Amino acid sequence: MSVSLGAYELAPASVTTLIRRSLDIGPSAAGLVVSVMFGTAVVASIPVGVVLDRTNSRHAVAVAVGLLLVAGVWGWYAASIGSYALLLGSRVLGGLAYVVVWNAGIDVVGRSFEAERQATAVATFTASGPVGFAVGQAAAPVVAGAFGWPAVFPAFTALSVLGLALFWPTSRGSGRASDTPTPTVGDLSRVVTDRRVWLVGILGFLGYSLYLFVNSWAPSYLTDELGLTLVVSGAVSALFPAVGVLSRISGGVLSDRLFDGRRRPVVLASFVVATPAVVAFTALRGVAVVVVALLVAGFAIQLCLGLVFAYVRELVEPAVAATAVAFLTSVGLAGAFLAPIVGGALIEATSYGTAFLAAGVLGLVGVGMSWLAPEP
């Protein structure tokens, strides 16, 4: 289910040129087609987390998959008639489905493993995100070429039905922990006012800003500046999220095993390595060198993106763990929402080089914030 959501989320990034031409919109408006889902998650995540702490996550996931199917068909219709507003509306509905499946998935997986393996388990689940992103990046141009670019919206949401079919029989009894008390309003308010939770949330914001900026604008850069075709640029750009399958799992394993449960060293290493790779990206020439840079940046940035969700769960009581995850999702995805839009505005006003340099500044801030981050 999470793979299908990731593919649906990022698929428009690989066909941005077609979207702009068909709907007659600029880079910022095109970036909003991707980032509006993250904006929806920013607003909806905390209310969803509160509901998940008080209800059955399994049932909520089934409803979310139904919403995702509707969003896919709605997006295809809106794109076919050339309605930008209706297309954004469909993506808002998709964003709501996304945040339910994501938060509920982390909640269920996090409660299913002991503390010494929790980071590895949660990080492994979050690896579904980059798998979906890679599928969306690589396959969207192929789907658009065969069926027209509006088809990228329903094409990937159909995968969620297969995911639900596998999830439903294997998740019986996992919707809610029977021994976990219902959290009070005071419990929930302490989560969103906890300084430690906020610090991890800021790290999530910076990490997701870098992640979505590169994911959203690397394909266009490869097409506009290096002259690659849409299909080739999509395939090359897919390497950036794809390496996250190894990276996210590695972040959890390194933290659990090498650093004996400490989270900060892995997060710090993530920003230290990612920052120069992002800054140098537009100075590189040659497909081979660009591929190496994408792999290095993709691995480094995503090293912490799975880990932070286990990290934030460990800072609060189990009864409000879903709310803590939802808070991190909200703050983190605020970066995912803003990065493609701000990046598009910078590219429009200046150049790709300036935009990637600005992303590097965010990486430097991440290095500084990592020094301040608490250990669970």
Side-chain angles (χ1 to χ4, degrees), residues 18-67:
L18 300 178
I19 293 174
R20 289 180 57 187
R21 187 185 307 137
S22 178
L23 299 182
D24 192 25
I25 56 177
S28 296
L32 187 59
V33 175
V34 173
S35 63
V36 70
M37 284 189 63
F38 299 102
T40 301
V42 170
V43 175
S45 185
I46 293 178
V48 164
V50 171
V51 171
L52 290 175
D53 272 329
R54 293 168 173 264
T55 190
N56 191 303
S57 297
R58 186 167 172 261
H59 296 161
V61 163
V63 173
V65 168
L67 294 178

Side-chain angles (χ1 to χ4, degrees), residues 199-214:
L199 276 171
V200 176
I202 292 171
L203 289 170
F205 175 91
L206 295 169
Y208 270 100
S209 294
L210 289 174
Y211 183 52
L212 260 295
F213 170 77
V214 178

